[in-house]
Amino acid sequence: MGGIGKTTIAAAIFKEFSPKFEGSCFLENVREESSSHGLNHIFKKLLSELLEEKVHISTHKVISTAIIRRLKRKKVFIVLDDVHTSELLETLLGVGHDYLGFGSKVIVTTRDKHVLQGRVIVDHIHEVKEMNFENSLKLFSLNAFNKLHPPEDEYWDLSMVAVEYASGIPLALKVLGSFLRSKSYNEWDSALAKLKAIPNGDIHQQVLRWSFNELDHAEKNIFLDIACFFKGQTRYKVTRLLNACGFFAEIGIRTLLDKALIRITINDSIQMHDLIQEMGHKIVNEESIKNPGGRSRLWKSEEVRDILKNDKGTDAIETIFLDMTQDTDLCISSQAFRKMPNLRLLAFADNKAFQRKKKKKRTNETLALPTDLELPNNLRYIQWDGCPLKSLTTSWWPTKLVELSMPFSNVEKLWDGEQNLPSLEIINLQCSRRMRECPNLSGAPNLKRVNLTGCESLTDVHPSVFRLPKLQSLWVYECKALTCLSSEYCSPSLQSIVAYNCPNLQEFSVPMVGDHSGIHLHLRSTALKKLPSSIFHLKDLGHFSFSISESLMDLPTNFAFQIMLSDPVEHKYDTAVTLHKVLPSPAFQSVVRLIFDHCCSLTEIPDSISLLSSLAHLNLYHCTNVSTLSKRIKLLPRLQVLNIFQCHMLQLLPILPPSLKRLRVWDCNLLKTVLTTISKPPRKDEATFLFLNCNNLDEDSCSIILKDAILRTELGVKETECGIQEEEIFDLDRDCYADFSEICYLLPVRGNNIYDLFDVHSAEAYSFSVELPRDSNLVGFLFFIVLSEDQWSCIAEHTWYGVSDLLDFGCDCYLETSWGEKVHAESFSLLQWHWDQLYHHVDITSDHVLLWYDEECCKKIMEPIRGTEGKGINDEEKGSTGNNANLTLEFFAGVLNKLDAVIRECGIRWIYQNVEEEEEGSRGRKSKRTNEEADEEDGSESNEQEESIPPTKKLKQSLLEPPLILEGEEVVEDLRQKLEEILHIGFDIWRFM
């Protein structure tokens, strides 16, 4: 039954217990979401939330072993709300594949018990019953009187009657209580008398209808528009468009919330219970039982297509929503809209329009569209994803239009001359590749956002755009044919101009004023030869990008937080000479983030880089001819991040400043020498230093890098023990990261130096066991694995736009002491690679060593060893019994969404507290074989302690009450008690969920 409280109970349990899991996901409205967006969309959302990152899959039928492996290592809590088929449930839970890890729990809510009779193993089915009378009275009172009990006056008896009529259905209790709130005794008595004459099964529907009937005219329209058109859209967008319809949306939405007819989700979208939406649909259907054209709102696909094709519209129609995601056929009569003068909202929605354009498929399989559309003047909103028309020729455009959205269309031009569009605020023609002519927008004085991104045939932007008094943003990036951005005036309200990657842009003559300080201005990778003189007086820009030019010297101090430089389109000389002059200029003295993007004419980073006293983040991206960095880079006092990507001629990396926290050097094929990664011993800090595919690095340089990692780790441990506080740093790096904020190094394998620096290693398997040294100074260990280039060609493929490759790696550590204590700790991390929102594949072209230190993992393992109560590792009594503690390590690595990586070798280095007293010669290096021989000498005692790794257990899903999460049967009982509280006691939960 709908409205019985299944979702509310599941949400309450999720809120209570999800923080205790390693991952969680609440998938709401699964039935509706899968119907609207498809199963792949739902499955990607589930995986992304569980893994806490954006995941791309091409089909739910093929899931990479890397994803499955990561899921199996996680205890997760999932709620699947409103599942309507067993097939859908089986797909989401990976039945037959055991996707989820040991201890994972799943709650499923459904109206159909048969959904649970497929292959899914169900621990427990809880059928949610109607609320008992006592609890029903409390829930009703909370909504009618804002307290747990009715007042002990004349309202007491009426409350008893109202609760009895609601039949224990929570939704009816909430809506009825909200409906009767603040009404007089006589109004209560009259309303309840009406309920008495209604059959019991229809009472909650009647209560919902009363709440609707009590709304004023504008509020009713808002309710029906949400039920039939806007459900799931953002509150901001809905409010803006409803206000344009004259419905006073802010107060109207507030009223619907107060009456429990809608709710606002965490991401600020407006949602409505299925039963309430069904009531809204029923109200609209009752407007004209047999003739859909006589109804105010249309949303059923077959009805919309019939009306548009056969000219069956009437003046009753106010909104049309056609979901074209699954069926793109469309036929429209030339007279179709002429008979709909009151049409306010029109949407031909296609969530897959982008994919169709990318694959160059026809947007529509069957088309019958008129060349001349007469659009009703009453239209406020037009959405037509992937519109197949070359032109929307119309005698006039709706003067009340607020938003025009036609992304991925075939439109070449919208209109001739000036159109009177006094209400238009947003125009979106993104990726309309055939768009040749920007419309004259001078008739749209309220226009705020213009998006022409990816309109590859567009040659210029009409000057009227810059004169718009309320314009906030203009996006024209990747407009390949764009030659000019010109105007004699620029609106002071403008906040962003994005015009990069426009290779034919030769003129930017847009006057800027003091009000434009703080603007984001992107003009890199264009044909502009000089910096526009109109921007020289600006300050405090967020982002600024331009080609390397001497005109940059004229920019003022504090000009921009970030400056991105690129090659001039016509570069005939080494831009290093120009750059040497530019860097000492005022704007660069104050820049915090400096990026060189595709500066192929640049041969070196000049010495003047050392003058950038505020620089914290330096990027070199595709600077393919840079052969050296200035030695004076070590003098940069605030540099924390240095990224060098595909600088193929770079041969030497000089000494770097001690402030550096993150270094990424990627695909620098000729890089041979690294003098040192630090100019003096570092303070304790995070350090992510990556040398990916720098396959020409010599053995000495690799030794320097490895020793730097060890030094940072040991000094960090010493400072932790001494209580030294690390300096505050800025979080500036979005290009790569190791997510545990510790020590992480990656570099090609050279020689045997790694084996001289690590105490224990194995070349035979991904795992090994070792006895912990009996030394009270031992505080942890530094991990290492060698990733083989074998199989990497199978997983090194470009990813989709907006989806990153994540190199995930780690180690499962299992400690077993001689006194029977067992501890499991996982060191798990990700390396993400991306640039400026474009993501790249991770392609390892030779064997690489990856080493890292995880302080939290080491603390968890060492805690029992360093503890009190006679269990210390130096305890003579314990030490006499033989093995004090045995550590088993299981390593893993792979690329997200693809296959597992091949681990050729693995090992650890012991980390001691007093590093200055440690002598390398006293370190005993062990191979796996040596350790196994030691185990044999200890006799059969170790066999009794083999089960340090818990066996894999198949996930069992439940409808509402799974046995919960952590360790021990007491947690199972914890959830059962919680369920009882919610069902019989927890009314503050009912109130707020």
Side-chain angles (χ1 to χ4, degrees):
M1 176 188 294
I4 198 68
K6 300 183 296 298
T7 301
T8 304
I9 295 173
I13 296 175
F14 183 82
K15 181 178 180 181
E16 176 77 14
F17 291 104
S18 59
K20 301 178 182 179
F21 288 86
E22 296 168 342
S24 62
C25 177
F26 192 111
L27 279 184
E28 195 170 7
N29 297 326
V30 169
R31 172 173 57 85
E32 182 178 336
E33 287 289 308
S34 61
S35 299
S36 299
H37 303 293
L39 186 53
N40 280 356
H41 170 82
I42 296 293
F43 199 39
K44 282 191 287 187
K45 184 176 180 181
L46 175 63
L47 294 178
S48 297
E49 292 198 21
L50 293 180
L51 297 177
E52 298 180 289
E53 68 218 17
K54 192 170 183 179
V55 173
H56 169 74
I57 55 170
S58 56
T59 172
H60 63 274
K61 297 180 180 178
V62 180
I63 308 301
S64 74
T65 57
I67 290 180
I68 294 175
R69 173 170 47 77
R70 291 184 62 195
L71 287 174
K72 284 184 175 181
R73 291 199 305 270
K74 276 194 167 190
K75 285 188 296 188
V76 300
F77 190 16
I78 300 172
V79 173
L80 303 177
D81 174 51
D82 194 16
V83 178
H84 64 299
T85 69
S86 57
E87 293 79 14
L88 179 61
L89 181 60
E90 292 167 6
T91 298
L92 291 176
L93 297 181
V95 173
H97 300 280
D98 296 330
Y99 289 165
L100 305 184
F102 175 76
S104 295
K105 303 299 170 188
V106 178
I107 290 176
V108 178
T109 71
T110 181
R111 299 183 188 181
D112 185 358
K113 193 172 183 179
H114 292 89
V115 168
L116 304 172
Q117 296 177 352
R119 293 184 294 160
V120 175
I121 302 172
V122 177
D123 277 341
H124 180 78
I125 296 177
H126 179 88
E127 183 177 353
V128 182
K129 303 290 187 181
E130 293 82 359
M131 297 181 72
N132 62 34
F133 190 86
E134 179 184 358
N135 292 335
S136 295
L137 180 61
K138 291 179 179 179
L139 179 59
F140 172 82
S141 298
L142 281 171
N143 287 276
F145 306 106
N146 203 29
K147 52 187 179 181
L148 279 178
H149 300 284
E152 294 184 0
D153 52 20
E154 67 268 19
Y155 286 100
W156 178 271
D157 291 336
L158 292 178
S159 296
M160 301 297 113
V161 175
V163 170
E164 182 178 352
Y165 286 164
S167 304
I169 299 171
L171 181 62
L173 289 162
K174 291 174 65 176
V175 175
L176 181 57
S178 300
F179 170 75
L180 294 173
R181 184 191 305 150
S182 302
K183 286 186 168 53
S184 67
Y185 175 86
N186 290 334
E187 289 172 317
W188 274 59
D189 188 53
S190 175
L192 295 176
K194 286 185 179 180
L195 280 182
K196 187 175 182 180
I198 299 172
N200 287 338
D202 297 329
I203 286 179
H204 65 285
Q205 283 291 335
Q206 184 60 46
V207 170
L208 296 177
R209 181 64 70 96
W210 281 355
S211 294
F212 172 80
N213 292 339
E214 194 179 48
L215 302 174
D216 64 27
H217 176 73
E219 292 163 352
K220 288 178 179 178
N221 276 294
I222 292 174
F223 174 84
L224 294 178
D225 279 353
I226 292 173
C228 303
F229 195 92
F230 285 126
K231 181 182 175 182
Q233 308 229 24
T234 65
R235 184 175 186 171
Y236 169 77
K237 178 178 180 178
V238 174
T239 300
R240 179 168 51 82
L241 293 174
L242 289 176
N243 277 335
C245 295
F247 294 153
F248 311 102
E250 288 85 0
I251 187 62
I253 289 174
R254 180 73 262 168
T255 299
L256 298 185
L257 287 168
D258 291 342
K259 291 183 173 295
L261 294 175
I262 61 171
R263 58 189 175 83
I264 307 297
T265 66
I266 193 171
N267 62 354
D268 205 40
S269 68
I270 296 180
Q271 290 292 347
M272 179 179 285
H273 193 282
D274 287 350
L275 282 180
I276 297 177
Q277 185 180 33
E278 289 172 10
M279 179 194 70
H281 288 172
K282 184 177 181 182
I283 290 171
V284 173
N285 287 335
E286 290 172 355
E287 295 171 352
S288 179
I289 301 296
K290 296 183 178 181
N291 178 21
R295 301 170 190 162
S296 62
R297 293 157 179 88
L298 302 174
W299 66 91
K300 293 182 180 179
S301 177
E302 62 277 8
E303 293 178 352
V304 171
R305 294 176 190 278
D306 178 57
I307 288 171
L308 294 179
K309 179 179 179 180
N310 298 308
D311 193 19
K312 295 182 179 180
T314 69
D315 59 3
I317 299 174
E318 297 182 30
T319 75
I320 295 177
F321 184 92
L322 176 60
D323 186 352
M324 301 179 64
T325 303
Q326 304 301 326
D327 183 2
T328 59
D329 293 350
L330 185 61
C331 299
I332 301 178
S333 163
S334 60
Q335 304 295 317
F337 295 114
R338 185 176 297 176
K339 295 183 178 181
M340 307 179 195
N342 295 313
L343 185 65
R344 297 181 286 109
L345 308 171
L346 174 65
F348 298 140
D350 184 359
N351 294 321
K352 297 182 179 179
F354 168 71
Q355 297 180 26
R356 298 186 215 281
K357 285 291 181 182
K358 187 170 184 177
K359 296 177 181 179
K360 297 184 179 179
K361 291 183 177 181
R362 282 185 65 182
T363 306
N364 300 82
E365 300 299 330
T366 301
L367 295 175
L369 303 175
T371 57
D372 186 6
L373 278 175
E374 282 196 25
L375 298 174
N377 193 50
N378 206 44
L379 268 174
R380 269 74 165 189
Y381 177 72
I382 299 175
Q383 175 187 346
W384 197 339
D385 302 335
C387 174
L389 296 173
K390 292 183 179 181
S391 175
L392 279 180
T393 306
T394 179
S395 53
W396 68 82
W397 280 79
T399 58
K400 297 180 180 180
L401 189 64
V402 173
E403 181 172 343
L404 175 62
S405 180
M406 299 178 64
F408 313 106
S409 73
N410 289 333
V411 171
E412 296 180 0
K413 70 174 183 178
L414 284 178
W415 55 70
D416 294 315
E418 179 181 336
Q419 291 287 332
N420 182 28
L421 297 166
S423 302
L424 188 63
E425 296 180 358
I426 296 174
I427 183 167
N428 177 17
L429 298 168
Q430 179 181 5
C431 294
S432 296
R433 296 176 180 174
R434 299 181 182 181
M435 172 69 68
R436 298 181 181 277
E437 185 178 322
C438 176
N440 182 339
L441 295 173
S442 56
N446 288 298
L447 193 58
K448 298 177 181 178
R449 300 205 303 262
V450 178
N451 189 349
L452 302 172
T453 298
C455 294
E456 297 178 352
S457 302
L458 188 68
T459 58
D460 61 16
V461 173
H462 199 278
S464 62
V465 173
F466 295 99
R467 292 183 172 275
L468 297 170
K470 296 185 179 180
L471 183 68
Q472 296 175 357
S473 58
L474 170 64
W475 294 300
V476 290
Y477 65 90
E478 294 185 354
C479 292
K480 306 298 184 183
L482 186 66
T483 61
C484 175
L485 287 175
S486 177
S487 176
E488 296 179 356
Y489 175 81
C490 183
S491 172
S493 63
L494 188 61
Q495 300 172 6
S496 177
I497 299 178
V498 183
Y500 65 85
N501 288 352
C502 299
N504 290 298
L505 181 62
Q506 300 177 12
E507 179 183 356
F508 182 89
S509 52
V510 179
M512 312 294 277
V513 297
D515 291 338
H516 291 123
S517 292
I519 193 175
H520 292 250
L521 183 59
H522 293 279
L523 299 172
R524 74 182 187 277
S525 300
T526 67
L528 293 170
K529 296 180 179 180
K530 292 185 178 181
L531 199 65
S533 58
S534 61
I535 70 170
F536 289 147
H537 61 285
L538 299 179
K539 284 191 175 184
D540 299 320
L541 273 69
H543 293 173
F544 173 73
S545 66
F546 197 73
S547 302
I548 297 175
S549 166
E550 289 189 7
S551 60
L552 293 166
M553 299 170 60
D554 298 325
L555 293 175
T557 188
N558 295 321
F559 178 70
F561 172 84
Q562 172 182 298
I563 296 178
M564 182 181 292
L565 301 176
S566 67
D567 264 342
V569 172
E570 297 180 0
H571 50 275
K572 300 178 181 179
Y573 55 89
D574 184 356
T575 49
V577 176
T578 304
L579 188 62
H580 179 72
K581 299 177 182 178
V582 166
L583 290 180
S585 63
F588 289 86
Q589 293 298 300
S590 55
V591 72
V592 175
R593 183 169 175 147
L594 179 61
I595 301 171
F596 296 94
D597 177 24
H598 284 81
C599 296
C600 298
S601 66
L602 192 65
T603 60
E604 64 177 1
I605 302 299
D607 289 347
S608 55
I609 190 83
S610 64
L611 301 176
L612 276 58
S613 57
S614 299
L615 188 65
H617 189 140
L618 177 61
N619 269 19
L620 283 76
Y621 179 74
H622 269 305
C623 299
T624 53
N625 289 307
V626 169
S627 59
T628 180
L629 302 182
S630 170
K631 295 180 181 179
R632 297 179 63 83
I633 197 172
K634 67 180 180 181
L635 301 178
L636 291 170
R638 298 177 181 270
L639 188 66
Q640 297 176 11
V641 179
L642 174 59
N643 291 322
I644 306 173
F645 174 52
Q646 291 188 354
C647 295
H648 298 306
M649 300 301 293
L650 185 66
Q651 300 180 39
L652 181 143
L653 197 63
I655 296 174
L656 301 173
S659 57
L660 196 68
K661 308 299 188 296
R662 301 179 189 179
L663 170 67
R664 178 185 68 172
V665 187
W666 183 9
D667 285 352
C668 295
N669 306 326
L670 296 184
L671 181 63
K672 182 179 181 180
T673 305
V674 176
L675 296 182
T676 179
T677 54
I678 49 174
S679 56
K680 62 181 181 180
R683 297 279 305 268
K684 176 186 182 293
D685 225 327
E686 62 178 281
T688 305
F689 284 18
L690 312 175
F691 296 82
L692 179 63
N693 297 331
C694 299
N695 297 327
N696 201 40
L697 274 175
D698 59 33
E699 190 168 335
D700 290 341
S701 295
C702 289
S703 294
I704 288 173
I705 297 169
L706 289 170
K707 290 178 181 178
D708 177 72
I710 294 170
L711 178 60
R712 284 181 183 269
T713 304
E714 292 177 339
L715 288 181
V717 167
K718 180 180 179 180
E719 292 184 5
T720 299
E721 296 293 333
C722 296
I724 299 177
Q725 298 295 319
E726 60 183 272
E727 297 176 357
E728 182 180 357
I729 65 170
F730 298 102
D731 183 17
L732 295 172
D733 186 22
R734 291 172 55 88
D735 291 335
C736 70
Y737 65 86
D739 72 343
F740 49 71
S741 297
E742 293 288 348
I743 308 297
C744 179
Y745 281 62
L746 175 73
L747 66 154
V749 174
R750 290 292 178 270
N752 295 316
N753 45 27
I754 189 170
Y755 310 120
D756 298 328
L757 297 172
F758 283 77
D759 301 297
V760 188
H761 74 275
S762 169
E764 300 176 11
Y766 295 175
S767 63
F768 59 84
S769 296
V770 62
E771 179 186 345
L772 266 68
R774 300 175 188 177
D775 190 327
S776 59
N777 288 322
L778 180 68
V779 293
F781 33 87
L782 187 65
F783 301 96
F784 90 87
I785 56 177
V786 174
L787 299 173
S788 171
E789 66 175 318
D790 296 343
Q791 280 195 350
W792 212 265
S793 59
C794 299
I795 58 181
E797 57 188 40
H798 289 280
T799 58
W800 287 51
Y801 176 85
V803 181
S804 64
D805 261 346
L806 293 168
L807 176 63
D808 66 314
F809 60 91
C811 182
D812 281 303
C813 306
Y814 300 92
L815 179 74
E816 188 170 3
T817 68
S818 59
W819 51 89
E821 188 166 356
K822 298 180 180 180
V823 176
H824 169 238
E826 181 188 54
S827 175
F828 172 73
S829 188
L830 300 168
L831 287 176
Q832 181 177 11
W833 311 77
H834 68 87
W835 170 269
D836 195 28
Q837 300 180 351
L838 295 175
Y839 294 77
H840 306 283
H841 68 288
V842 177
D843 181 3
I844 291 183
T845 57
S846 68
D847 288 0
H848 279 58
V849 58
L850 177 63
L851 55 149
W852 71 97
Y853 176 69
D854 188 338
E855 184 177 8
E856 292 303 316
C857 177
C858 290
K859 282 182 178 179
K860 190 172 181 180
I861 290 295
M862 297 305 300
E863 191 174 34
I865 305 301
R866 306 187 74 190
T868 56
E869 302 179 359
K871 295 182 182 179
I873 201 166
N874 279 335
D875 191 299
E876 294 295 332
E877 182 179 351
K878 294 292 179 182
S880 64
T881 64
N883 285 349
N884 291 97
N886 191 68
L887 181 64
T888 298
L889 302 107
E890 294 187 346
F891 293 86
F892 52 85
V895 175
L896 183 66
N897 300 332
K898 302 185 177 71
L899 306 176
D900 291 342
V902 174
I903 297 177
R904 191 179 294 280
E905 298 182 51
C906 55
I908 56 174
R909 174 188 172 98
W910 303 118
I911 302 297
Y912 296 91
Q913 177 179 341
N914 299 317
V915 283
E916 66 275 8
E917 300 175 4
E918 188 64 35
E919 296 182 3
E920 285 297 326
S922 66
R923 284 184 172 275
R925 290 190 289 113
K926 293 184 180 182
S927 67
K928 182 183 176 185
R929 178 175 297 178
T930 303
N931 193 55
E932 289 175 345
E933 290 171 356
D935 289 342
E936 292 177 3
E937 293 174 3
D938 291 333
S940 59
E941 290 184 7
S942 62
N943 294 334
E944 299 174 2
Q945 301 173 356
E946 280 184 349
E947 197 176 351
S948 61
I949 303 173
T952 301
K953 183 179 180 182
K954 286 190 174 183
L955 169 69
K956 295 183 177 182
Q957 293 88 5
S958 68
L959 170 65
L960 187 57
E961 184 189 69
L964 194 62
I965 314 176
L966 307 174
E967 290 78 13
E969 290 297 325
E970 70 278 1
V971 185
V972 175
E973 196 59 34
D974 193 11
L975 177 58
R976 298 186 186 279
Q977 291 176 0
K978 190 65 183 179
L979 180 60
E980 292 299 317
E981 291 176 10
I982 294 172
L983 292 176
H984 301 295
I985 303 173
F987 289 94
D988 53 344
I989 293 177
W990 282 112
R991 183 179 178 182
F992 296 110
M993 297 302 292

